[in-house]
């Protein structure tokens, strides 16, 4: 667990649930800088396990998880007796998932990438729903590492498409669409979202636009 420092969330213990390691690291660092102590897990099952051993004040959970949805995770946490704040993050339009998120017992819904002010407000009960996506200043090394991974991800998607596994390619594109903007690569995120839509629609899903966005991001480094 990451230790707390001074900040608006000092003395708070927050669990982060996200299946992307980069986003877990990003959110954990942001929350730690705000004063929270943080534990980050990747799955619904791990979250329930952590809840049995630690008293959390709040949970930040991504809507899209490898073992279900953040709404399902929120409902399970509530059923297990968790009474703290639950903040949901999504790369999709807020209106698309708001009803499901509310019914699951979440207190707030923010569109990725949520800036620090919006996230603190949601955790402290100052904001319920919002689209506060803004660039957040991140450590240069973290951004560089994410940028370096993008060409490999592009080749992986291309290989899956060539092999006819559009479903697997769409899952990776979805992950990138929900994370790229958080690291300052909004064009990559938009291209990944469009590629995901094309893959799920069963079309030819050319990777050209996504590849160009990745190449441009790589050139920035």
């Amino acid at each position: 667990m990451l230790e707390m420092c001074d900040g608006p969330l000092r003395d708070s213990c927050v669990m982060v649930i996200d299946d992307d390691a980069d986003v877990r690291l990003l959110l954990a660092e942001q929350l730690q800088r705000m004063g929270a102590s943080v534990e980050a897990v990747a799955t619904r099952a791990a979250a329930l396990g952590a809840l049995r051993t630690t008293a959390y004040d709040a949970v930040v959970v991504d809507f899209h998880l490898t073992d279900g949805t953040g709404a399902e995770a929120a409902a399970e946490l509530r059923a297990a007796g968790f009474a703290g704040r639950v903040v949901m993050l999504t790369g999709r339009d807020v209106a698309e998932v708001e009803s499901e998120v509310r019914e699951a017992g979440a207190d707030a819904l923010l569109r990725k990438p949520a800036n620090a002010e919006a996230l603190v407000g949601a955790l402290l009960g100052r904001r319920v729903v919002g689209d506060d996506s803004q660039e957040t200043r991140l450590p240069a090394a973290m951004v560089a590492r994410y940028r370096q991974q993008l060409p490999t991800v592009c080749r992986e998607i291309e290989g899956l498409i060539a092999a006819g596994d559009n479903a697997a390619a769409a899952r990776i594109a979805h992950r990138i669409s929900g994370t790229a903007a958080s690291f300052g690569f909004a064009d990559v995120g938009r291209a990944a979202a469009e590629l995901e839509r094309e893959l799920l629609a069963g079309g030819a899903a050319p990777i050209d636009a996504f590849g160009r966005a990745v190449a441009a991001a790589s050139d920035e480094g």
Side-chain angles (χ1 to χ4, degrees):
M1 182 175 298
L2 297 177
E3 296 300 323
M4 66 181 71
C5 58
D6 287 331
L9 297 178
R10 181 164 180 79
D11 298 326
S12 296
C13 184
V14 180
M15 175 164 54
V16 170
I17 312 170
D18 198 297
D19 59 2
D20 187 282
D22 287 317
V23 175
R24 288 198 302 275
L25 180 62
L26 182 154
L27 287 172
E29 181 161 330
Q30 286 181 329
L31 291 167
Q32 185 188 22
R33 288 180 178 182
M34 298 174 205
S37 58
V38 183
E39 184 164 1
V41 300
T43 65
R44 292 160 54 195
L48 287 174
L51 189 65
R52 287 192 285 268
T53 60
T54 305
Y56 296 99
D57 299 294
V59 171
V60 178
V61 55
D62 186 30
F63 184 81
H64 180 80
L65 301 170
T66 53
D67 62 344
T69 68
E72 291 170 327
E76 289 170 346
L77 292 171
R78 293 305 191 201
F82 179 69
R85 298 280 298 176
V86 175
V87 176
M88 192 82 60
L89 303 179
T90 181
R92 298 163 61 179
D93 288 339
V94 166
E96 292 180 14
V97 297
E98 182 178 357
S99 177
E100 183 178 355
V101 167
R102 289 295 184 203
E103 291 175 3
D107 299 290
L109 173 62
L110 296 175
R111 180 170 167 77
K112 292 180 175 178
N115 63 32
E117 183 179 356
L119 189 55
V120 169
L123 288 168
L124 295 178
R126 298 174 187 156
R127 181 180 293 276
V128 178
V129 175
D131 185 356
D132 291 277
S133 45
Q134 297 179 7
E135 287 192 15
T136 299
R137 184 176 295 276
L138 300 175
M142 187 183 296
V143 174
R145 185 180 66 182
Y146 187 87
R147 179 190 291 114
Q148 290 166 2
Q149 294 173 355
L150 288 174
T152 300
V153 170
C154 186
R155 289 191 294 272
E156 184 179 1
I157 292 175
E158 193 169 22
L160 289 168
I161 293 173
D165 195 348
N166 281 17
R171 286 194 294 270
I172 297 174
H174 179 89
R175 175 170 61 84
I176 298 301
S177 71
T179 60
S182 298
F183 290 88
F185 304 112
D187 288 345
V188 172
R190 284 189 288 268
E194 179 60 30
L195 177 60
E196 180 194 8
R197 284 191 289 270
E198 292 173 351
L199 287 165
L200 294 177
I207 199 171
D208 297 11
F210 179 68
R212 286 194 297 271
V214 168
S218 299
D219 290 343
E220 292 174 12

